[in-house]
Amino acid sequence: MKKISTMLLATSLLAGCGILYRQPIYQGNLLQPENVEQLREGMTKRQVGSLLGTPMVSDPFHESRWDYVATQRDTRVGGPEIKNLTVYFEGDTVARWEGEYFPKQDEELGRKMARFGNLPREKNQRGGGR
Protein backbone atom coordinates (compact mmCIF):
# COMPACT_ATOMS: atom_id res chain seq x y z
CA MET A 1 0.00 0.00 0.00
CA LYS A 2 2.85 2.35 0.86
CA LYS A 3 4.49 1.68 -2.54
CA ILE A 4 1.28 2.44 -4.41
CA SER A 5 0.69 5.73 -2.62
CA THR A 6 4.33 6.76 -3.17
CA MET A 7 4.04 5.95 -6.86
CA LEU A 8 0.76 7.87 -7.18
CA LEU A 9 2.30 10.88 -5.44
CA ALA A 10 5.36 10.81 -7.71
CA THR A 11 3.21 10.49 -10.83
CA SER A 12 0.99 13.42 -9.87
CA LEU A 13 3.99 15.59 -9.09
CA LEU A 14 5.64 14.80 -12.41
CA ALA A 15 2.43 15.41 -14.35
CA GLY A 16 1.86 18.73 -12.62
CA CYS A 17 5.26 20.25 -13.31
CA GLY A 18 5.19 19.69 -17.07
CA ILE A 19 8.14 17.34 -17.39
CA LEU A 20 6.07 14.82 -19.31
CA TYR A 21 4.74 17.26 -21.94
CA ARG A 22 5.88 20.62 -23.21
CA GLN A 23 3.79 22.48 -25.72
CA PRO A 24 5.66 24.61 -28.24
CA ILE A 25 4.55 28.23 -28.39
CA TYR A 26 4.52 30.13 -31.69
CA GLN A 27 3.55 33.80 -31.86
CA GLY A 28 3.68 36.41 -34.57
CA ASN A 29 3.53 36.30 -38.35
CA LEU A 30 3.29 32.93 -40.04
CA LEU A 31 5.22 33.32 -43.32
CA GLN A 32 5.05 30.65 -45.99
CA PRO A 33 8.46 30.14 -47.70
CA GLU A 34 6.94 30.23 -51.20
CA ASN A 35 5.36 33.62 -50.42
CA VAL A 36 8.61 35.13 -49.14
CA GLU A 37 10.39 33.84 -52.27
CA GLN A 38 7.87 35.76 -54.42
CA LEU A 39 8.80 39.06 -52.77
CA ARG A 40 10.31 41.42 -55.39
CA GLU A 41 11.58 44.98 -55.52
CA GLY A 42 8.98 47.32 -56.97
CA MET A 43 5.96 45.52 -55.47
CA THR A 44 3.35 47.81 -53.94
CA LYS A 45 2.39 47.78 -50.27
CA ARG A 46 -0.93 46.26 -51.26
CA GLN A 47 0.81 43.41 -53.11
CA VAL A 48 3.09 42.74 -50.14
CA GLY A 49 0.09 42.76 -47.81
CA SER A 50 -1.68 40.21 -50.03
CA LEU A 51 1.43 38.05 -50.19
CA LEU A 52 2.71 38.17 -46.58
CA GLY A 53 -0.28 39.48 -44.66
CA THR A 54 -0.48 42.31 -42.17
CA PRO A 55 2.83 43.04 -40.43
CA MET A 56 3.04 42.29 -36.71
CA VAL A 57 4.65 45.64 -35.92
CA SER A 58 3.21 48.83 -37.38
CA ASP A 59 5.25 51.89 -36.42
CA PRO A 60 3.58 55.24 -37.21
CA PHE A 61 6.99 56.94 -37.10
CA HIS A 62 8.50 54.59 -39.70
CA GLU A 63 5.78 54.04 -42.31
CA SER A 64 8.45 53.07 -44.84
CA ARG A 65 9.10 49.72 -43.15
CA TRP A 66 7.03 46.73 -42.19
CA ASP A 67 8.28 44.28 -39.58
CA TYR A 68 7.13 40.68 -39.65
CA VAL A 69 8.10 39.35 -36.22
CA ALA A 70 7.78 35.77 -35.00
CA THR A 71 8.79 34.03 -31.80
CA GLN A 72 9.15 30.36 -31.05
CA ARG A 73 9.64 28.66 -27.72
CA ASP A 74 10.07 24.90 -27.58
CA THR A 75 11.45 24.48 -24.08
CA ARG A 76 10.51 25.61 -20.61
CA VAL A 77 14.03 26.86 -19.95
CA GLY A 78 15.38 30.06 -21.51
CA GLY A 79 13.70 32.69 -23.59
CA PRO A 80 12.02 32.46 -26.96
CA GLU A 81 13.85 32.50 -30.28
CA ILE A 82 12.94 35.69 -32.16
CA LYS A 83 13.07 36.19 -35.94
CA ASN A 84 12.33 39.40 -37.80
CA LEU A 85 11.79 39.96 -41.52
CA THR A 86 11.75 43.68 -42.39
CA VAL A 87 10.45 45.03 -45.71
CA TYR A 88 11.58 48.57 -46.59
CA PHE A 89 9.54 50.79 -48.92
CA GLU A 90 10.36 53.89 -50.93
CA GLY A 91 7.04 55.61 -51.39
CA ASP A 92 4.57 52.81 -52.09
CA THR A 93 6.98 50.24 -53.53
CA VAL A 94 9.42 47.70 -52.06
CA ALA A 95 13.02 48.90 -52.04
CA ARG A 96 14.58 45.97 -50.16
CA TRP A 97 14.05 43.45 -47.38
CA GLU A 98 16.26 41.80 -44.81
CA GLY A 99 16.09 39.47 -41.87
CA GLU A 100 14.95 35.94 -41.37
CA TYR A 101 11.95 33.86 -40.39
CA PHE A 102 11.16 30.24 -39.49
CA PRO A 103 10.65 28.76 -42.98
CA LYS A 104 10.52 25.07 -42.04
CA GLN A 105 8.50 25.57 -38.86
CA ASP A 106 6.11 28.05 -40.53
CA GLU A 107 5.42 25.64 -43.38
CA GLU A 108 4.76 22.76 -40.98
CA LEU A 109 2.59 24.91 -38.71
CA GLY A 110 0.70 26.20 -41.74
CA ARG A 111 -0.17 22.65 -42.78
CA LYS A 112 -1.40 21.85 -39.26
CA MET A 113 -3.48 25.03 -38.97
CA ALA A 114 -5.03 24.72 -42.45
CA ARG A 115 -7.26 21.92 -41.23
CA PHE A 116 -8.94 24.38 -38.84
CA GLY A 117 -9.90 26.68 -41.70
CA ASN A 118 -8.17 29.84 -40.52
CA LEU A 119 -5.67 29.92 -43.43
CA PRO A 120 -6.55 30.18 -47.13
CA ARG A 121 -6.46 26.95 -49.08
CA GLU A 122 -4.19 26.52 -52.06
CA LYS A 123 -6.01 26.35 -55.40
CA ASN A 124 -4.69 22.86 -56.16
CA GLN A 125 -6.19 21.43 -52.96
CA ARG A 126 -9.73 20.14 -52.76
CA GLY A 127 -12.34 22.87 -52.58
CA GLY A 128 -11.01 24.87 -55.55
CA GLY A 129 -9.39 27.56 -53.42
CA ARG A 130 -12.57 28.83 -51.83
Side-chain angles (χ1 to χ4, degrees):
M1 185 68 171
K2 189 174 180 182
K3 271 188 170 182
I4 293 174
S5 61
T6 304
M7 188 158 322
L8 285 174
L9 178 63
T11 304
S12 64
L13 289 174
L14 286 175
C17 66
I19 290 175
L20 301 178
Y21 177 73
R22 69 177 200 287
Q23 181 172 347
I25 300 170
Y26 303 99
Q27 292 181 320
N29 292 104
L30 179 66
L31 301 176
Q32 297 293 329
E34 57 271 6
N35 292 349
V36 176
E37 291 169 6
Q38 293 179 38
L39 196 58
R40 301 283 181 257
E41 290 182 13
M43 292 178 87
T44 65
K45 287 182 178 182
R46 186 174 186 170
Q47 289 172 318
V48 174
S50 295
L51 192 62
L52 301 180
T54 305
M56 183 69 150
V57 178
S58 180
D59 186 354
F61 298 107
H62 299 100
E63 292 181 5
S64 62
R65 71 181 268 176
W66 286 1
D67 292 298
Y68 292 89
V69 181
T71 63
Q72 171 182 317
R73 185 172 182 175
D74 288 334
T75 63
R76 291 183 157 291
V77 186
E81 183 179 358
I82 301 171
K83 303 265 182 153
N84 186 26
L85 178 70
T86 304
V87 180
Y88 295 93
F89 296 92
E90 287 181 5
D92 189 44
T93 60
V94 174
R96 65 186 171 92
W97 62 93
E98 62 185 31
E100 55 187 1
Y101 61 106
F102 298 104
K104 190 173 183 178
Q105 292 92 330
D106 284 357
E107 188 173 17
E108 182 182 322
L109 187 59
R111 279 194 307 272
K112 287 179 184 176
M113 297 306 291
R115 65 183 166 175
F116 297 111
N118 61 349
L119 293 176
R121 291 184 179 173
E122 296 296 325
K123 290 184 180 180
N124 60 357
Q125 291 181 349
R126 63 185 170 94
R130 291 227 167 209

